[in-house]
Each structure stands twice: as C-alpha cells, then as structure tokens.
C-alpha cells in the first residue's frame, strides 16, 4: 500500500510492459516477463502479477505479446554529429546514394544542432539510449567536416539544458586533429582549459580525452613492432623528433590526463602503440591508483599478453567487429598473409576478462548494433552455444559500456532503481543465433522513462475503439 508520504516501492508506475521476456542482464537474474517504470527509473522487474501490482489509474500498460525487453543499447564509440550529417551514407558506403557527395560539412551551429538531433532520432529508432561522442574539441575547430569542433560540444550543452537529447551522451575532448597529429603542448593547454560542467551529468558528461596514437593497418599507419610487408615503418601520430620522443609524449599525455582525473580513450591499433599506452596507464596508476576506466579504441593488433595486462590494469577495449570482417584482406595485404586471422582476438579478450565494448564507430559503419553483434559472432566462430554467445555479446552493448561510462551503478541493466532506459525487440534474441539478429525489429525505445521510438508495439487501447 502507498503510505501517506508515498512509498517509493509501491507507488503506481507510469508505464508497465508485460507479457514479454525481460532480459535484465543482472548477474544472477531470474526469469522475468514484465517491468514497471516510474519517474525515469525501473520500479520493479518480475512476473506479470507482481509487476501489475504497481498499475494505478494513470499507468499505461503495454502487452508485449512475447516481445523481448533489453536494457537500452549503449554504443561506446559513435560520432553522432558526423553521423547526423552523413546519414544514410556511411564511410563503408552500403547506404550510399550513387553520385552523392560523401562529406556534407556542417557549416554553422544550426546545422550542427540539426545533425545531433537527427542522430538522436536515428539512435532512438535503433534502441540506442546512450552513446559516447569520441572526440570533440579545439583541434578540430577548423576541421573540414565541422562535426568535431568545440562548437559541437556547445550544441550538446545547449540541447541537454533544453532537455532535447534523445540519448545520454558521454563526450571525450580532443586536443589534436581527428585521425591526425597532436602535440603535447596543445594537449596540456586543452586539458587545463576544458570546462566539464553540464546541466545534468546523467544526460551529458564530459568524461575525459581522446588521443590518436596511430592510424590503421590497411593504411600502414598502425604503429607496430615490425615493418609492413612492403617495408613501411610506421610512427605514432603524437608529435616528436623520433620514436622515443613521440612515445614519451604520448606517455606524458596519458599520465597528465590521469592525474587530472580524466578518462582516456586511446585510438591504438598497432601492438606497439598499445604497449606504449599500457605502460603509460601502469605508470599513471602507480602514481595514483584510481580506476578511471581508460580504454583502447579499436585495438586491431592487440596481443594475448596485452589483453591480460589490460584486464589487470582495468583498461577496456572498444572494438568494431564489422571492420574486422570487411578489411580482412586489406590487413593481410599490409601485414602479410594470416595477419588478419590473428587480429581482433575477441575470444581471447573475453577469456582474459577484458571489459569489452562493441561499437559501430558510425558513420564509419552503420550505427546498427545488431550488425556488430552478428559480425562479432562471425569473426569468433561458433564455439559456445548460441544463447551464451548472444548474452555475452549483448553485455558488450549494455553492461560493459555502462562501466566505461562510470555509470554501472545506475544504467546498463534492468533492476529497481536503475535508469528506465530500455528497448523492445520483436523477438527474443536469446532464442536466435547472432546471425539472425539484424533482421529483428526494434519496436520500442525508452530513455529515462520516456518513449522515444515506437513501431507497432504500443496499440492504443481505449482510444482506438
Ligand atoms: Zn572513431
């Protein structure tokens, strides 16, 4: 019963989803068919009778008719503003309109704002309720796309203050150029000058910094311990007179950011750049032992020993399996036959206990997370049973990115008190193989208790007759 001052546990829900399969992704979750949401959080998860006990006169009750509920999808690496400008084009081009220009630069703040809003609608349609915008800042204030400068961060701040974001956003600052050079001086100046304040950190949070350590294997710009097949010797993107100085400067950047309490996401694809980044994190943690959720972005050529070190240091991995699938032959061309088969060792990352996020890197790839899960499964091969594989891969889009966001205490799973961020799929993913997932519709998306996307699931009841 509701007490005089309103008992938080028994007050009526705003929205109840019942008659479905609810995957809470909690560690020891029991079978649930219903979930109740109230005031932007999950009020109860359980079977239909216990959840329907929270139905009041103003509660909307939706019959899921067997559909599946998942925690909201969190894409840990998604260039949303750029995506909003490009969509439906992507860099891998499978939606490309023939003859359409690839780049559509954002010329002013109104266009940047529209691009963010457009990406928000797209995210909502895919069940994405959180994402990380990996790299906005002064290094790109005069960049060719207009999608990565400081003014984009300001648009995010304005939209958050107006309550217009459709997904929760984490931002990493960028003090160099996107996919380009950076130098220690500008990095340290930027780090000192950056203002991280936002109207509500649960909607918009400036978590830390993005550093481009190197490039990518197909371009022969991944910083590796050995030369490429054609003799190219790669170097770091961080400025310095020689390898030793560039490595020292990258180390200084990471240590300085850690000292300032900032999370660091390092774009590192080569084994040598990953070594430098891990050495730096080890040094930073020896000086001040805090787990700030640092992570390696891409990690194409990460090795088994490096993965074990990452697990020990609390360094996560953000990776894009569809890039592995699509660039396999390019990687073999660059690094020699068999190189791709040893790259992106997703199974080894799981075995080592690395906190791994699968991400789209959209608009490099489509932001459709279902395709990344299918690609990850294809890349790893079918060792475990499909249900276990699917559950593990779903965690890479929910639980693990919540950890990366330092938000595991309030989002990423469905349990009382957690954020009311969820999506509803037309079929239960755990009854399917990952290869079948891309064909399963996202039918409802809820962020902070608000329905931001629906497609067929919420049949109007009283009004329709
Ligand atoms: Zn990226």
């Amino acid at each position: 019963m509701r007490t005089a001052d309103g008992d938080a546990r028994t007050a009526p829900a705003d929205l109840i989803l019942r008659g479905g399969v609810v995957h809470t992704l909690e560690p020891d979750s029991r079978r649930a068919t219903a979930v109740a949401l109230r005031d932007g959080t999950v009020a109860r998860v359980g079977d239909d009778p216990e959840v329907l006990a929270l139905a009041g006169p103003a509660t909307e009750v939706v019959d899921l008719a067997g559909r599946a509920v998942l925690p909201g999808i969190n894409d840990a690496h998604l260039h949303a503003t750029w995506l909003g400008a490009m969509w439906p084009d992507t860099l891998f081009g499978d939606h490309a309109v023939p003859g359409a220009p690839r780049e559509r630069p954002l010329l002013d703040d109104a266009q940047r704002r529209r691009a963010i809003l457009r990406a928000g609608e797209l995210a909502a349609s895919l069940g994405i309720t959180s994402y990380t915008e990996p790299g906005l800042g002064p290094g790109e204030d005069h960049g060719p796309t207009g999608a990565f400068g400081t003014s984009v961060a300001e648009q995010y701040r304005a939209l958050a203050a107006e309550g217009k974001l459709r997904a929760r956003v984490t931002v990493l600052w960028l003090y160099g150029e996107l996919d380009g050079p950076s130098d220690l001086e500008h990095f340290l100046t930027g780090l000192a000058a950056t203002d991280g304040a936002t109207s509500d950190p649960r909607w918009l949070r400036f978590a830390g910094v993005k550093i481009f350590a190197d490039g990518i294997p197909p371009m022969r710009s991944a910083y590796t311990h050995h030369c490429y097949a054609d003799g190219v010797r790669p170097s770091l993107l961080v400025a310095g007179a020689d390898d030793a100085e560039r490595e020292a400067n990258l180390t200084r950047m990471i240590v300085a950011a850690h000292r300032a309490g900032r999370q660091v996401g390092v774009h590192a694809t080569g084994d040598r750049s990953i070594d430098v980044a891990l050495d730096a994190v080890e040094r930073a943690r020896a000086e001040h032992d805090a787990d700030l959720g640092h992570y390696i972005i891409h990690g194409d050529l990460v090795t088994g020993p490096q993965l074990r070190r990452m697990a020990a240091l609390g360094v996560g991995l953000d990776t894009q399996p569809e890039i592995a699938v699509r660039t396999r032959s390019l990687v073999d061309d660059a690094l020699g036959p068999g190189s791709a088969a040893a790259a992106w060792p997703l199974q080894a990352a799981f075995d080592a206990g690395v906190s791994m996020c699968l991400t789209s890197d959209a608009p490099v790839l489509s932001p459709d997370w279902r395709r990344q899960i299918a690609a990850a499964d294809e890349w790893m091969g079918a060792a475990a049973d499909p249900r276990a594989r699917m559950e593990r891969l779903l965690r890479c889009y929910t639980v693990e990115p919540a950890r990366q966001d330092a938000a595991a205490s309030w989002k990423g799973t469905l349990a009382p008190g957690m954020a009311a961020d969820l999506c509803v799929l037309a079929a239960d993913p755990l009854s399917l193989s990952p290869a079948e997932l891309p064909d399963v519709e996202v039918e409802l998306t809820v962020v902070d208790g608000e329905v931001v996307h629906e497609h067929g699931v919420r049949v109007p009841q009283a009004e329709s007759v």
Side-chain angles (χ1 to χ4, degrees):
M1 291 297 287
R2 189 170 186 167
T3 56
D5 58 348
D7 187 323
R9 284 159 306 168
T10 56
D14 302 322
L15 176 65
I16 288 176
L17 307 178
R18 54 156 291 231
V21 185
V22 181
H23 295 298
T24 66
L25 301 190
E26 283 282 307
D28 48 358
S29 58
R30 62 201 178 95
R31 226 180 132 66
T33 61
V35 55
L37 311 179
R38 185 202 309 118
D39 295 335
T41 59
V42 174
R44 191 173 288 176
V45 182
D47 60 26
D48 279 17
E50 58 190 323
V51 172
L52 285 167
L54 295 182
T59 304
E60 182 186 6
V61 179
V62 173
D63 184 359
L64 293 171
R67 295 177 177 88
V69 181
L70 295 176
I73 299 300
N74 184 342
D75 190 325
H77 189 103
L78 185 155
H79 303 279
T81 314
W82 192 21
L83 174 66
M86 297 257 312
W87 188 255
D89 287 349
T90 60
L91 297 191
F92 272 90
D94 43 21
H95 293 271
V97 180
R102 212 156 215 223
E103 297 286 349
R104 281 182 291 279
L106 297 170
L107 302 174
D108 57 32
D109 283 346
Q111 291 186 1
R112 286 185 262 278
R113 182 185 170 94
R114 276 201 298 278
I116 295 169
L117 292 171
R118 188 165 186 234
E121 295 305 319
L122 180 57
S125 74
L126 290 167
I128 296 169
T129 58
S130 294
Y131 64 80
T132 290
E133 174 85 67
L136 301 177
E140 280 287 327
D141 281 351
H142 304 287
T145 60
F148 303 101
T150 313
S151 55
V152 176
E154 296 315 316
Q155 289 307 311
Y156 270 113
R157 250 195 259 267
L159 287 167
E162 294 166 40
K164 293 208 167 111
L165 292 178
R166 281 293 160 268
R168 304 179 191 277
V169 181
T170 303
V171 175
L172 298 183
W173 288 109
L174 177 66
Y175 304 126
E177 290 174 31
L178 192 90
D179 286 313
S182 59
D183 66 73
L184 183 62
E185 191 194 329
H186 283 100
F187 184 89
L188 295 176
T189 313
L191 194 63
T194 309
D195 172 12
T198 69
S199 53
D200 180 353
R202 284 167 67 111
W203 277 99
L204 177 64
R205 182 167 161 264
F206 292 89
V209 299
K210 164 90 177 273
I211 303 171
F212 283 89
D214 62 0
I216 55 172
M219 303 295 285
R220 294 157 172 75
S221 53
Y223 188 51
T224 52
H225 280 295
H226 43 266
C227 289
Y228 285 84
D230 56 8
V232 167
R233 257 188 64 80
S235 65
L236 288 174
L237 285 169
V238 174
D242 52 26
D243 281 343
E245 193 181 302
R246 287 188 283 270
E247 290 187 5
N249 285 341
L250 173 56
T251 303
R252 288 188 188 105
M253 288 177 179
I254 293 170
V255 170
H258 182 88
R259 218 174 261 161
R262 307 287 179 82
Q263 182 179 38
V264 184
V266 185
H267 170 121
T269 62
D271 53 349
R272 192 168 175 188
S273 58
I274 294 168
D275 270 340
V276 177
L278 295 182
D279 287 349
V281 171
E282 186 169 285
R283 201 161 123 188
R285 290 199 65 162
E287 185 186 293
H288 174 61
D289 194 19
D291 182 354
L292 299 179
H294 304 317
Y295 56 101
I296 300 291
I297 298 165
H298 308 307
D300 306 23
L301 304 177
V302 68
T303 66
Q306 287 174 334
L307 288 166
R308 290 190 285 280
R309 241 186 123 192
M310 287 167 69
L313 287 168
V315 172
L317 176 65
D318 281 12
T319 195
Q320 299 80 25
E322 203 180 334
I323 291 183
V325 170
R326 285 169 172 251
T327 65
R328 188 193 313 251
S329 62
L330 295 174
V331 169
D332 280 344
D333 288 349
L335 288 158
S339 300
W344 295 282
L346 304 183
Q347 183 64 52
F350 280 126
D351 294 345
V354 173
S355 173
M356 181 160 63
C357 300
L358 300 180
T359 82
S360 68
D361 203 3
V364 174
L365 298 163
S366 154
D368 188 342
W369 57 278
R370 297 166 296 184
R371 284 172 41 172
Q372 291 302 318
I373 285 184
D377 197 61
E378 178 187 341
W379 189 254
M380 286 191 296
D385 78 280
R387 194 179 169 90
R389 273 151 46 206
M390 180 69 84
E391 181 153 8
R392 191 171 60 181
L393 293 169
L394 288 171
R395 296 176 68 83
C396 297
Y397 262 113
T398 51
V399 176
E400 301 301 340
R403 177 195 178 273
Q404 178 177 299
D405 287 342
S409 65
W410 63 271
K411 69 177 184 182
T413 68
L414 295 173
M418 300 295 277
D421 297 355
L422 58 81
C423 64
V424 172
L425 302 185
D428 179 6
L430 295 198
S431 68
L432 304 168
S433 76
E436 295 171 301
L437 186 64
D439 295 323
V440 178
E441 290 276 349
V442 177
E443 298 198 325
L444 189 77
T445 306
V446 176
V447 187
D448 205 43
E450 298 290 325
V451 173
V452 293
H453 162 76
E454 60 178 306
H455 173 74
V457 68
R458 206 165 60 161
V459 181
Q461 284 164 0
E463 307 89 271
S464 68
V465 283

